[in-house]
Amino acid sequence: MSVARRAFIQMTVGATVGILFTPTVWKALDDVSIWTQNWPWIPRLKYGENKAVATVSKMCESGCAVKVRTVAGEAFGTMGNTENPISGGGVCPLCANGVQVKNSPNRIKSPMLKGEAVTWDKAKEIVAEKLAAAGSKVAVISGDQTGTINEVFSALLASKGSDAFYAMPCDMQSACKAWNGLMGGSGQVGYDMKGADVVLLAGADALESWGPTVANMKAFADNEGGKFIFAGPFQTKTASVTSKWVPVPAEGMAAFTLGICYYVLQAGKSVPAADFDQFKAMVMSGYTPAKVEAATGVKADAMAEVAKQLLTAKSPVVVPGGSVGAHAAAFALNLLLGGGMKVLPEFAKAVGSAMSRAEMMKNDILQGVNADLLFVYEANPAYVLADQVKAGFTVAFDCVNTETTAAADLVLPIPHSYERVDDLASPYGLPQATYTMGAPVCKASLDVMNAGDFVLGLADLGFESFQEVIDAKVSAIGADADSLVEGNAFVLDETPDVSGVTLAASVLGKAASPVKGTGAVAVAPYTLLNVGTANQATTPNAPCTISNNQLVGDKLVVMMNGTTAKKLGVSVGSKVKLSGGSGECQALVQLFEGVMDGVVAAPLGMGHTTGDEFSKGKGDNVYKILTVSSEAATGASTWAGSTVNVAKI
C-alpha cells in the first residue's frame, strides 16, 4: 500500500470510517471504551476471561463482520474481523458503537401496546387476530438488506396471498430494478474496485456511505495504481481523495453516463445484446456531447477525458449511485467496456415460499404503502417516509426507540445484533457472493424475542425457530457452519448466465430529460455514517466526530459555493429556511467551493424527534424537503432533482 493512500485512508476519508479501517487505533478505541464506561447505564464489567468473539452487526445498511470484545461474557467493545473479506479488519462508525447502543437507555425493554407494556403472549394474540382480519392486505417494510429474516417475512406474506414486501430506499434496490428488471439480468451486480485500474464512481460515495464502505476502503487502499474518478453534484469526502471530481447534477447522472457511452461506441466497442443496434443508434443521436452538455451542464471535454481513461484501461469499472436510470446506464457502459463489473449468483433460499432478493426489491416504497396490517422490521419509515406510509395497524420490530416505534400500535423489542443469530448475504457492491453468519456473543438482558421466532409462531412456514431457518440457509448454500461461527465467510464462485441481458435501449432513450423541481436551488442530500442513516440515528460516540460543516450546536449546516450564496443573499453563518417537498428545514450556511453552482448540499440523518441525547433534537430532518418525482427514463420514483427555495431568517 502506498504511504499517500494509507494517509488518506487514516486521516481524510470518511472521518471515523477512515480511522477505524486501520488497526493502529485500537488503543484509542480502548480509551473510548473506558470513557463510555462512565455513562450511568453502562454495566460494570466483572473479572473473567477476555475474548474477541466473531459475529455480525446490522447497524449499518450493509452490515459489518465484527469481533465483539467480551469479559466474563459481557460485551465491552467492537473491532473489525481481519479474517472476513467484508470487514478486512475495519469497522464502520455505526457498528463500532454497537456495545454502546446495546446498553443504551433508548432500548425497548418489553412489548408495548399503544404505550402500555404487555406480555409476549398477549402480543402474539393481538397480531394473530389482526393477521386473520387483514386477509391479503398485509405488508412488510424491512430495513435489512442482507438478512435471511426477509425470507421469513416474505413467506408470511405469501401465506396470506400478498406480495407487499418493501425495502427502504437504497442503491441495492435501484441496481436490482435496473439489472433484474429493465435489463433482464439475473443475480446481483458487484464491482471489483480492488482489481480495476480505472474506477468511475458515478454518484457512488463509496468510501463514505455507499455499499460496504469498509470493504470499499480496503479495496481503495490495496489498489495502489488504480485511478479513481468521482462524478456528482459536490465534492464529497470520497471525491476529495480521488484523482478527479467531475461536477454532475444528480438528476443528470444517467445522461452523463450515456454521454460517456457515446465516446465508447465511437471507439468501436460493442456487446452481443439483442438491442445493441437500437442502443447504439439511440446514444449516437440522442447523447452527443452537445446534447448531454445542454442537459447536464457537463462540458464535452470533461466527458471525453473520462471516456479516454476508461477506454485505455485494462480493467475499468463504473460504480453507480442514485436512480434506476443511472444504474441502467452504468451497467450498459460496463458491458461495453468489459471490465470489472461482476455478476453474482443469488444464494439458495432457506424458506421455499420466500421471495428472491430481486422480488423483494421490486415494490417502490416511494409510491406509497397502504395496508390493513403493516410489519416494520428495523426500519424507520416514520422518519424518512412520513407521507408515503399508511396502515390500519402497525407492528414495529426494533431494539431501540425511533419515530416509527413511537407511532406504531404495537412495538416488539428484538435482541441487539450481539444478542441474536443473524447473517449477511452478499452486501450490495461486493465483487463476490459472500455469506457471513453471526451467533449471540452475550445474553439478552431485556424482555426481547427474535422477530423470526415471533413470525414463525404466526404461520406454518416449516420451521419452529429462526435458528432452524439459519441452519437450513447454511445447508442450502453448502457452507460449513463451524467455520461461519468462527467468523469466516463463505464465498460462492459462480457466474450467472448473462447472455439474455439487454441494454434497456427503449427505456434509456428518455434519460436525457432529467426531471427537476421548480425551487431556486437543487438539493444534494448526502449521508455520513457517523451522523447516521435512514434506519439508524447518530450513535453515542459519534457526536465528537461530526464537523461544523454538518452541525453547529443543535443547528443543521448546509453547504453552497460563493456564487450560489451571493445569488441568494446569504453568507457564512446566515440562518436560512429551506422549503420543499412537504416541509421545511432551518439551517446555517457554510461556504464550500466543492459544491456545484445552484446546489445546496445537506446532510441526512439528523432532526430526530425520538431517540437518545446524542440524536434527539440535533439539526433538522432533510427528508422533509425532498420531493418524490417520477424518473423520466424508467418511471421509477426518485429523490434526484429535488429543489428548494431558500429564505434568509
Side-chain angles (χ1 to χ4, degrees), residues 377-424:
Y377 180 75
E378 289 201 319
N380 196 1
Y383 169 71
V384 179
L385 305 161
D387 296 333
Q388 284 90 357
V389 178
K390 296 178 175 61
F393 191 90
T394 299
V395 181
F397 295 90
D398 216 319
C399 73
V400 295
N401 287 295
T402 67
E403 285 80 4
T404 296
T405 63
D409 299 284
L410 179 64
V411 179
L412 300 180
I414 60 174
H416 182 275
S417 286
Y418 299 167
E419 301 169 338
R420 70 186 191 227
V421 61
D422 213 331
D423 60 354
L424 303 171

Side-chain angles (χ1 to χ4, degrees), residues 295-375:
T296 66
V298 183
K299 298 296 184 182
D301 58 352
M303 288 184 288
E305 177 59 28
V306 173
K308 179 181 178 181
Q309 293 190 48
L310 291 170
L311 282 165
T312 56
K314 292 182 179 179
S315 182
V317 66
V318 181
V319 184
S323 70
V324 176
H327 280 79
F331 296 158
L333 178 54
N334 276 309
L335 290 171
L336 288 170
L337 293 168
M341 186 178 88
K342 306 296 180 181
V343 182
L344 285 53
E346 184 167 336
F347 287 114
K349 294 186 294 185
V351 185
S353 58
M355 295 178 176
S356 67
R357 180 171 286 184
E359 291 170 333
M360 293 176 189
M361 295 290 165
K362 186 176 181 180
N363 290 326
D364 189 343
I365 195 170
L366 291 178
Q367 292 181 356
V369 178
N370 197 338
D372 287 353
L373 176 61
L374 173 65
F375 294 99

Side-chain angles (χ1 to χ4, degrees), residues 412-480:
L412 300 180
I414 60 174
H416 182 275
S417 286
Y418 299 167
E419 301 169 338
R420 70 186 191 227
V421 61
D422 213 331
D423 60 354
L424 303 171
S426 291
Y428 173 61
L430 290 179
Q432 292 178 296
T434 307
Y435 182 84
T436 298
M437 188 186 77
V441 302
C442 55
K443 293 181 179 179
S445 58
L446 302 173
D447 186 17
V448 297
M449 181 185 294
N450 190 298
D453 292 332
F454 186 88
V455 173
L456 290 169
L458 298 173
D460 183 9
L461 302 180
F463 299 90
E464 296 295 326
S465 69
F466 188 62
Q467 178 66 65
E468 289 184 12
V469 175
I470 292 294
D471 292 342
K473 184 73 171 183
V474 172
S475 177
I477 68 177
D480 179 79

Side-chain angles (χ1 to χ4, degrees), residues 576-592:
V576 295
K577 179 175 70 175
L578 294 83
S579 303
S582 61
E584 58 185 41
C585 286
Q586 293 190 10
L588 302 177
V589 172
Q590 179 63 277
L591 297 188
F592 176 43

Side-chain angles (χ1 to χ4, degrees), residues 528-578:
L528 298 174
L529 289 186
N530 59 322
V531 173
T533 67
N535 299 325
Q536 175 64 56
T538 306
T539 51
N541 282 337
C544 61
T545 71
I546 299 174
S547 85
N548 59 9
N549 286 335
Q550 288 81 43
L551 190 70
V552 171
D554 292 339
K555 299 295 185 182
L556 175 75
V557 177
V558 297
M559 297 184 292
M560 62 186 73
N561 68 23
T563 300
T564 303
K566 185 176 181 179
K567 288 181 179 178
L568 296 173
V570 299
S571 58
V572 173
S574 292
K575 295 181 180 179
V576 295
K577 179 175 70 175
L578 294 83

